[in-house]
Amino acid sequence: MTAPGSRSPESVFSEEVPKTFHPLADEHGEHERESGKSKYIMLANLLRQQILGGQYHAGDKLASENQLSQQYGLSRQTVRQALALLEQEGLLLRQRGSGTYVSFAAPRREKTHVIGVITTYITDYIFPTIVRGIEEELTRNGYHLTLGVTKNRVENEARLLRSFLENQVDGLIVEGTKTAFPNPNLGLYCQLEAMGIPVVFFNGYYRELPSVYVVTNDRKCGWDAAEYLIRHSGCRKLGGIFKSDDTQGHERYAGFSQAILKEGRELDDDAVIWYTTADKETLFSLENAPGIVRRLQGCDGVVCYNDQIAYGLIDSLQKAGIAVPEQVSVFGFDNSSVSEYSPIKISTFAHPKERLGVEAARRLLRMVEQGTKETPLVMDMEPVVKESTR
């Protein structure tokens, strides 16, 4: 980008760069190397002006080295040197496998004793209990909570992150958004890191970031659910319904599929149904439910992503005249209230909920107050066998 009234980047770099006389310079190109050195400084100066002048904002992703090289007619090595210089100055942050991001921001204000919390949902399922655990721990230590909800949408996450960057918080506790997919907001997380604002993730996190997180042992639970249905319920063929846009779904499927193979059973890919956040409301609609029941035909056991999905499946099976658990056993996750008010109480795994929220808050507070380097925590979930399994 070019500032008003300035020359274009191309004209800046096409000018003859003054060369320092070197008595040993010859046809081998010593003067060219000196010129290249000047050009990387010139590129760094130009990008610095754009950043400090507001043409880039905190968290913006810079063009790739190849793109900058083509834009300014410079070698990749020259571009790399310019970016390294700006990184040393704290204006850029390079994230391996993700790109280069603008990390400049105004100096942080004094401590606010405010912690931002970003969660996908808040009013239902297990989320109120998790947030209660976070809030009680923060309040006990003299901190206030400010809450934002993404509804598992990346644009909502971006809006909230920018708001917290602008309004200043001492730290963030975040449930990642669509954690199984590449996240376009990584630059904003890099900006938080550059500003010294610690982040602790819960339930899901971004593998591209060196994250501190508190999560459940979803892979082990997927394994345990499949193993229980085979060994204790006597199921011969298992199906599954898993969420594709969150890492929890992938982890639960991984354990589920590994246990099936370990038990010497065949994994039928047609009997594994994947859905996204956007599909949830219509997954068991009058139009879609018959197709799901057909996909699971021949299965006498099904592992579901969570209790809500298990509830929808049980309802659909019963409407199709299939008895639960006599003909099909169903296992869910999270031991939510849904598992209790279901006409057939759902066998499930006990999510630590409030304790998970407390552990996430404790880690963040230590990072805020002591600057400690925290380690991730993976929490086990115990099975709670009820009426939906034989």
Side-chain angles (χ1 to χ4, degrees), residues 126-138 140 173 200-203 213-217 221 334 349-366 376-383:
I126 62 175
F127 300 103
T129 312
I130 294 174
V131 173
R132 182 171 66 242
I134 294 172
E135 184 174 26
E136 289 178 354
E137 187 66 18
L138 294 179
R140 191 171 66 83
I173 299 174
V200 172
F201 290 93
F202 70 94
N203 281 348
Y213 52 83
V214 179
V215 298
T216 51
N217 196 340
C221 290
D334 300 333
F349 287 88
H351 194 288
K353 303 182 187 75
E354 187 168 351
R355 190 161 63 91
L356 182 142
V358 169
E359 291 293 344
R362 285 177 178 171
R363 277 163 172 71
L364 183 72
L365 290 177
R366 287 196 293 264
L377 174 64
V378 179
M379 306 177 76
D380 287 332
M381 293 195 291
E382 295 299 321

Side-chain angles (χ1 to χ4, degrees), residues 110-135:
E110 295 297 318
K111 279 187 69 173
T112 62
H113 283 86
V114 174
I115 301 297
V117 176
I118 297 177
T119 184
T120 52
Y121 300 96
I122 184 175
T123 57
D124 61 356
Y125 203 52
I126 62 175
F127 300 103
T129 312
I130 294 174
V131 173
R132 182 171 66 242
I134 294 172
E135 184 174 26

Side-chain angles (χ1 to χ4, degrees), residues 4 15 22 80 98 104 195 200 261 272 294 307 330 351 356 365 372:
E15 290 181 352
H22 197 297
R80 192 173 295 120
S98 177
F104 172 79
M195 293 177 66
V200 172
L261 298 177
V272 177
R294 281 195 299 271
D307 294 337
V330 177
H351 194 288
L356 182 142
L365 290 177
T372 57

Side-chain angles (χ1 to χ4, degrees), residues 114-118 144-148 164 169-174 364:
V114 174
I115 301 297
V117 176
I118 297 177
H144 302 287
L145 174 152
T146 179
L147 184 65
F164 286 130
V169 291
D170 292 337
L172 279 177
I173 299 174
V174 179
L364 183 72

Side-chain angles (χ1 to χ4, degrees), residues 217-383:
N217 196 340
D218 296 300
R219 184 172 298 219
K220 181 179 183 300
C221 290
W223 175 292
D224 289 346
E227 188 176 70
Y228 182 91
L229 291 176
I230 293 171
R231 292 189 178 185
H232 297 281
S233 295
C235 296
R236 298 177 301 278
K237 179 181 178 181
L238 298 188
I241 305 176
F242 300 99
K243 198 163 185 280
S244 64
D245 52 359
D246 287 330
T247 53
Q248 286 177 294
H250 289 243
E251 287 294 300
R252 291 171 183 180
Y253 167 75
F256 160 85
S257 58
Q258 289 165 2
I260 289 175
L261 298 177
K262 160 76 166 47
E263 293 294 326
R265 306 301 171 91
E266 181 178 308
L267 177 64
D268 183 356
D269 204 33
D270 290 334
V272 177
I273 298 165
W274 292 93
Y275 74 98
T276 67
T277 301
D279 301 328
K280 187 178 75 171
E281 296 302 320
T282 59
L283 189 63
F284 295 106
S285 65
L286 291 175
E287 295 79 12
N288 294 332
I292 290 176
V293 172
R294 281 195 299 271
R295 287 276 299 274
L296 296 172
Q297 189 172 10
C299 296
D300 53 359
V302 181
V303 176
C304 297
Y305 173 73
N306 63 19
D307 294 337
Q308 290 175 325
I309 298 302
Y311 179 92
L313 176 63
I314 290 171
D315 182 62
S316 298
L317 290 171
Q318 289 183 317
K319 288 177 179 175
I322 299 171
V324 177
E326 291 80 7
Q327 292 174 273
V328 178
S329 290
V330 177
F331 223 113
F333 283 82
D334 300 333
N335 198 26
S336 66
S337 59
V338 176
S339 69
E340 282 295 314
Y341 69 63
S342 171
I344 297 174
K345 293 183 179 181
I346 300 167
S347 294
T348 183
F349 287 88
H351 194 288
K353 303 182 187 75
E354 187 168 351
R355 190 161 63 91
L356 182 142
V358 169
E359 291 293 344
R362 285 177 178 171
R363 277 163 172 71
L364 183 72
L365 290 177
R366 287 196 293 264
M367 294 167 73
V368 168
E369 296 179 348
Q370 304 169 24
T372 57
K373 185 177 181 180
E374 293 294 314
T375 56
L377 174 64
V378 179
M379 306 177 76
D380 287 332
M381 293 195 291
E382 295 299 321

Side-chain angles (χ1 to χ4, degrees), residues 58-69:
D60 283 353
K61 186 174 182 179
L62 214 62
S64 68
E65 288 182 4
N66 278 336
Q67 291 170 324
L68 289 172
S69 177

